[in-house]
């Protein structure tokens, strides 16, 4: 392996982007593949006419000095900012403001950070990698419904949720496949609400400790936002898992009823989104995995604590291990 090696990274969420950025800076030839229409994974934003709403990750913290330095770089680029939440105070209805903490968001939307990171990378979107093949000490990638890519790669990195990594690893790395298979991930139902006028509520965000909701936030109150009033509702992991196959209308009815009980109103428009693999109840502490002999790496928040910060640290750590082994 040398710094001119070709590396394929499957998954363009924050972990994949962090890994790709560091490797490209070190001189590697990096190609990113993602099944979605753009980069970012759960750093995602739904957009409409004069309206937007972050429906995945709501904010992130930066406790690690290395990640805090990266966030400063994002701030200087104008794609991240500090969010001063007007949190609801604890009361009898199970709401909680949470402990004071420095929180950051993407500007003017959460997906802006991923778009900025991906701007200088070779990103192939709407490309679902369905299989990996080891061929003459190199890797061949197979695209769903299309077959193998012509290009072969010296190394491959999986930066996808654990359940999605399992079928890719089964034939080429059974031990790592078993590790991923043994890691459970919980889903999350998200509901986006659009209003013609701002709601007269005395809070912009709250953690919920009872009922179906875990988090509610006035998304339009985040820094750099414009357009109509928008609110985001996240169901708890436990409730989401119990109702993971329920239809959208039934989900919306229950989440909206819970929001109205907090003082909310019926929105002008709404939509729901199911994040099938949103969190890791018992995240591992491996940080990342690197099999130098195979040229196979794995990174992602499920290996390192389940947050945006954990995802970036996982991808960055894997890149450093690859770079060190190629020196």
């Amino acid at each position: 392996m040398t710094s001119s090696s070709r590396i394929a990274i499957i998954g363009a969420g924050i972990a994949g982007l962090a890994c790709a950025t560091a490797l490209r800076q070190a001189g590697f030839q990096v190609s990113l593949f993602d099944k979605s229409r753009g980069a970012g994974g759960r750093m995602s934003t739904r957009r409409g006419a004069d309206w937007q709403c972050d429906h995945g990750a709501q904010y992130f913290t930066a406790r690690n000095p290395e990640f805090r330095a990266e966030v400063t770089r994002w701030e200087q680029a104008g794609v991240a900012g500090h969010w001063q939440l007007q949190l609801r105070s604890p009361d009898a209805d199970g709401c909680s403001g949470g402990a004071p903490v420095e929180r950051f968001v993407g500007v003017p939307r959460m997906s802006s950070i991923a778009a900025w990171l991906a701007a200088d990378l070779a990103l192939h979107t709407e490309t679902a990698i369905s299989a990996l093949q080891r061929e003459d000490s190199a890797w061949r990638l197979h695209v769903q419904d299309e077959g193998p890519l012509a290009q072969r790669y010296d190394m491959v990195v999986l930066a996808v949720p654990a359940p999605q990594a399992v079928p890719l690893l089964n034939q080429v790395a059974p031990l790592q496949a078993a590790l991923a298979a043994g890691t459970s991930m919980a889903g999350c139902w998200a509901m986006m609400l659009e209003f013609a006028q701002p709601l007269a509520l005395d809070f912009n965000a709250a953690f919920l400790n009872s009922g179906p909701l875990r988090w509610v936030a006035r998304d339009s109150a985040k820094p750099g936002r414009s357009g109509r009033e928008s609110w985001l509702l996240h169901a708890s992991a436990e409730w989401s898992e119990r109702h993971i196959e329920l239809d959208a209308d039934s989900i919306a009815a229950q989440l909206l009823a819970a929001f109205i009980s907090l003082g909310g109103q019926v929105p002008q428009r709404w939509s729901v989104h199911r994040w099938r693999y949103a969190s890791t109840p018992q995240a591992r502490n491996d940080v990342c995995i690197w099999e130098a002999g195979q040229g196979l790496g794995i990174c992602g928040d499920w290996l390192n604590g389940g947050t945006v910060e954990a995802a970036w640290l996982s991808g960055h750590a894997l890149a450093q291990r690859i770079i060190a082994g190629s020196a």
Side-chain angles (χ1 to χ4, degrees):
M1 304 294 181
T2 67
S3 61
S4 61
S5 297
R6 295 181 181 273
I7 304 179
I9 299 179
I10 303 169
I14 289 297
L17 290 168
C19 188
T21 299
L23 290 173
R24 183 178 179 277
Q25 291 173 347
F28 289 88
Q29 300 179 56
V30 181
S31 296
L32 268 167
F33 299 89
D34 200 283
K35 65 179 183 178
S36 301
R37 290 179 294 177
R42 295 193 299 278
M43 297 276 281
S44 192
T45 306
R46 185 74 57 85
R47 301 170 68 184
D50 194 33
W51 175 87
Q52 68 176 42
C53 189
D54 299 329
H55 60 298
Q58 290 295 287
Y59 61 83
F60 55 91
T61 58
R63 296 178 172 88
N64 178 279
E66 198 167 20
F67 182 60
R68 185 63 183 85
E70 176 68 6
V71 172
T72 297
R73 194 170 75 95
W74 297 350
E75 290 181 287
Q76 292 171 347
V79 295
H82 184 242
W83 185 21
Q84 291 279 8
L85 280 75
Q86 184 184 357
L87 280 164
R88 183 164 179 161
S89 299
D91 53 36
D93 65 6
C95 294
S96 171
V101 65
E102 190 177 32
R103 295 178 173 90
F104 301 90
V105 296
V107 176
R109 59 192 65 91
M110 192 63 81
S111 57
S112 300
I113 295 169
W116 183 74
L117 289 172
D120 294 327
L121 299 172
L123 173 62
H124 306 270
T125 58
E126 298 183 287
T127 306
I129 304 301
S130 58
L132 302 178
Q133 179 184 355
R134 192 75 170 140
E135 188 178 87
D136 297 330
S137 300
W139 290 99
R140 178 86 71 181
L141 276 57
H142 291 250
V143 179
Q144 184 176 316
D145 301 325
E146 295 182 23
L149 295 175
Q151 179 65 59
R152 298 197 305 170
Y153 297 89
D154 301 295
M155 294 171 259
V156 65
V157 168
L158 300 188
V160 297
Q164 295 177 355
V166 175
L168 296 174
L169 293 168
N170 271 331
Q171 298 301 315
V172 296
L175 290 178
Q176 303 305 341
L179 181 148
T183 304
S184 63
M185 297 192 72
C188 176
W189 278 106
M191 186 173 184
M192 294 149 276
L193 311 177
E194 179 182 349
F195 297 91
Q197 300 295 331
L199 299 188
L201 294 175
D202 61 357
F203 65 96
N204 286 336
F207 295 101
L208 285 299
N209 300 317
S210 62
L213 293 174
R214 171 57 179 160
W215 166 262
V216 300
R218 193 190 311 254
D219 194 83
S220 48
K222 293 177 179 177
R225 269 56 177 176
S226 61
R228 290 173 175 260
E229 173 98 344
S230 63
W231 283 76
L232 186 283
L233 316 179
H234 269 171
S236 71
E238 297 79 6
W239 190 92
S240 295
E241 279 297 306
R242 289 199 306 269
H243 301 85
I244 201 68
E245 300 299 340
L246 206 60
D247 63 277
D249 287 342
S250 299
I251 292 294
Q254 296 186 59
L255 297 188
L256 183 57
F259 180 59
I260 291 174
S261 73
L262 299 174
Q265 299 176 13
V266 175
Q268 186 176 34
R269 274 182 289 273
W270 61 266
S271 60
V272 297
H273 180 86
R274 183 184 72 171
W275 295 102
R276 187 61 189 88
Y277 305 116
S279 61
T280 309
Q282 293 183 326
R284 305 184 62 85
N285 56 3
D286 299 271
V287 182
C288 65
I289 296 170
W290 174 235
E291 298 290 347
Q294 283 186 290
L296 173 66
I298 306 173
C299 61
D301 62 349
W302 62 274
L303 285 165
N304 196 34
T307 64
V308 172
E309 181 172 11
W312 187 90
L313 289 170
S314 177
H316 188 71
L318 176 57
Q320 299 310 309
R321 291 186 65 178
I322 294 171
I323 293 167
S326 303

